[in-house]
Amino acid sequence: MEFNLNNLVRENIKSLKPYSSARHEFTGKASVFLDANENAFGSPLEENFNRYPDPLQWHVKFQLARIKGVPAENIFIGNGSDEVIDLAYRIFCNPKTDNVIICPPTYGMYQVSADINDVQVKKVSLTKDFQLDVEGILNAADINTKLLFICSPNNPTGNNMNRTDVETLLNNFKGIVIIDEAYINYSRQKTFTQELTEYPNLIVMQTLSKAWGLAALRMGIAFASMDMIDLFNKVKPPYNINEASQQLALEALQNTQQVNDWIKTVVQEKEKLATALSRLPFVKHIYPSDANFILVKVTDADAVYGFLAQNEIVIRNRTKEIMCENCLRITIGTENENKLLIQTLSSYE
Ligand SMILES: *Cc1c(COP(=O)(O)O)cnc(C)c1O
């Protein structure tokens, strides 16, 4: 299939002359920096926070490259995945004319970001077993369809999308395919980050907010071709990742052992929780999950949600989402938290 990235990019982005920061323009060796109007004396903090951060976060990217097995040049870091999603809209979607396809029930930001950017959303619901309606998606696409969002493992259902379905879409969808792998660390499914050379229309999103335990740092990651990464770098705010986050992420990324241990524990706790939940009389169905949460169908989601809230336990009520009637999404907590949840639920009704 012939693919030309440039044909999908908005005209104003193609012709954009990006902001050139002081740190961008000078690349040689220097010891005196009088180019950025910073406070040369220092900052009230011990670290050198008086200087602007590296706009391209190379140290963090080199670490990620090592861990993920993807060259640093194929990595973009956003201020959370939310920034990656928003940038994709701004690079590819002309407000009021272009559209995107999402597959509900799924992550809410794809729709919100579309609404903010005044881009039409075509919804092609997942099938009854929460898989992609491949034919429906390809039929829904028209010449103004720029993006297709695939969330795998999917939030809030927890399941992986069938790999062959995703491959069929990568091969046949004429726009950009964004695979959101926020929960990939918990999944038995293989990541798509190793397929970037095969699919020039692919963006894989991951995040440090879930398994890595760094939700507060706001680091979303996009893996894509260098041409695609160039577009993201062109449109992003010059210093989108602050220096504190860069330093802390660099430190955290050394600690893969701890993260891998947590992942194993979460998977074990998930099995225990699923078993305990299945014994409760008002639990109608537990959906299989490859993520760090479980979707549960109960007799009355609003009532169970309210009861837990009264007991100071907060979960996510998804009953208003399509195909999620009376469904609750429960994040896997610590052993004690999960015990407390089950104990509390045992006294419901
Ligand atoms: C939690 C989540 C993210 C992460 O968003 P950040 O902005 O990186 O914290 C992305 N996608 C999905 C589907 C999620 O559930």
Side-chain angles (χ1 to χ4, degrees):
M1 187 183 71
E2 182 112 16
F3 178 81
N4 188 338
L5 183 60
N6 252 323
N7 290 346
L8 293 169
V9 179
R10 291 169 66 192
E11 286 303 326
N12 63 313
I13 301 301
K14 263 192 255 181
S15 60
L16 174 72
K17 191 177 173 300
Y19 176 74
S20 183
S21 68
R23 291 297 120 81
H24 242 128
E25 273 186 7
F26 184 83
T27 49
K29 190 171 150 48
S31 53
V32 180
F33 290 97
L34 305 176
D35 57 345
N37 300 344
E38 298 147 336
N39 182 340
F41 298 88
S43 76
L45 303 169
E46 274 176 53
E47 305 279 343
N48 285 331
F49 284 130
N50 56 321
R51 299 297 178 183
Y52 280 99
D54 175 4
L56 293 173
Q57 312 97 23
W58 283 116
H59 291 296
V60 182
K61 284 179 184 171
F62 289 140
Q63 272 295 335
L64 285 171
R66 216 173 44 80
I67 293 167
K68 301 289 182 180
V70 175
E73 296 79 19
N74 293 99
I75 300 176
F76 173 84
I77 304 178
N79 195 329
S81 307
D82 298 342
E83 185 178 43
V84 177
I85 296 167
D86 181 66
L87 285 170
Y89 279 103
R90 291 201 280 152
I91 292 165
F92 296 108
C93 300
N94 290 296
K96 292 190 199 303
T97 50
D98 290 334
N99 66 75
V100 305
I101 297 179
I102 70 171
C103 306
T106 193
Y107 186 48
M109 277 311 288
Y110 314 145
Q111 172 84 55
V112 172
S113 205
D115 293 343
I116 291 168
N117 287 288
D118 205 0
V119 171
Q120 191 208 336
V121 172
K122 297 189 180 211
K123 293 179 186 168
V124 181
S125 297
L126 296 175
T127 61
K128 271 199 227 38
D129 51 353
F130 292 148
Q131 288 299 323
L132 295 162
D133 174 2
V134 175
E135 227 183 76
I137 291 168
L138 292 174
N139 285 336
D142 59 37
I143 66 162
N144 293 318
T145 308
K146 297 297 183 70
L147 309 175
L148 165 62
F149 286 94
I150 296 174
C151 191
S152 182
N154 186 40
N155 178 3
T157 59
N159 63 296
N160 292 309
M161 298 300 130
N162 291 333
R163 197 174 182 86
T164 48
D165 288 348
V166 178
E167 285 165 351
T168 303
L169 290 165
L170 280 165
N171 284 316
N172 293 287
F173 179 70
K174 300 280 189 283
I176 308 290
V177 178
I178 301 180
I179 306 179
D180 188 343
E181 295 187 339
Y183 300 97
I184 193 68
N185 301 85
Y186 301 104
S187 174
R188 287 159 289 187
Q189 180 71 261
K190 230 173 65 197
T191 171
F192 270 90
T193 52
Q194 301 307 308
E195 326 298 326
L196 293 177
T197 45
E198 189 144 345
Y199 302 111
N201 58 338
L202 169 64
I203 298 174
V204 179
M205 282 203 308
Q206 294 186 5
T207 179
L208 298 189
S209 295
K210 304 288 155 66
W212 277 91
L214 299 169
L217 296 195
R218 309 308 303 131
M219 286 228 187
I221 310 161
F223 303 92
S225 73
M226 276 166 69
D227 287 344
M228 191 91 78
I229 298 297
D230 285 347
L231 287 167
F232 276 77
N233 285 334
K234 194 175 173 186
V235 177
K236 80 181 182 78
Y239 304 107
N240 62 325
I241 308 295
N242 71 68
E243 177 65 16
S245 285
Q246 289 191 44
Q247 286 185 18
L248 291 169
L250 202 57
E251 195 183 323
L253 288 169
Q254 321 282 345
N255 214 339
T256 43
Q257 189 53 51
Q258 170 69 263
V259 172
N260 286 332
D261 290 347
W262 278 332
I263 293 166
K264 280 196 204 105
T265 307
V266 166
V267 171
Q268 283 164 9
E269 282 296 312
K270 179 171 64 179
E271 298 315 319
K272 278 163 59 183
L273 188 63
T275 307
L277 286 168
S278 70
R279 297 195 175 120
L280 297 168
F282 54 90
V283 169
K284 293 296 157 211
H285 188 66
I286 295 167
Y287 296 88
S289 165
D290 259 37
N292 66 338
F293 57 83
I294 312 179
L295 190 72
V296 188
K297 195 188 262 307
V298 296
T299 44
D300 186 346
D302 291 337
V304 176
Y305 178 85
F307 175 77
L308 284 177
Q310 272 170 18
N311 286 278
E312 298 184 16
I313 297 177
V314 52
I315 59 170
R316 201 89 150 107
N317 189 352
R318 299 282 78 185
T319 190
K320 291 208 171 67
E321 302 294 308
I322 184 170
M323 302 166 86
C324 293
E325 204 191 352
N326 279 320
C327 285
L328 300 167
R329 193 194 70 192
I330 305 173
T331 306
I332 309 305
T334 64
E335 193 173 2
N336 280 336
E337 289 171 335
N338 303 333
K339 262 190 199 151
L340 187 63
L341 172 75
I342 291 298
Q343 223 172 57
T344 308
L345 285 174
S346 309
S347 62
Y348 171 78
E349 278 180 349

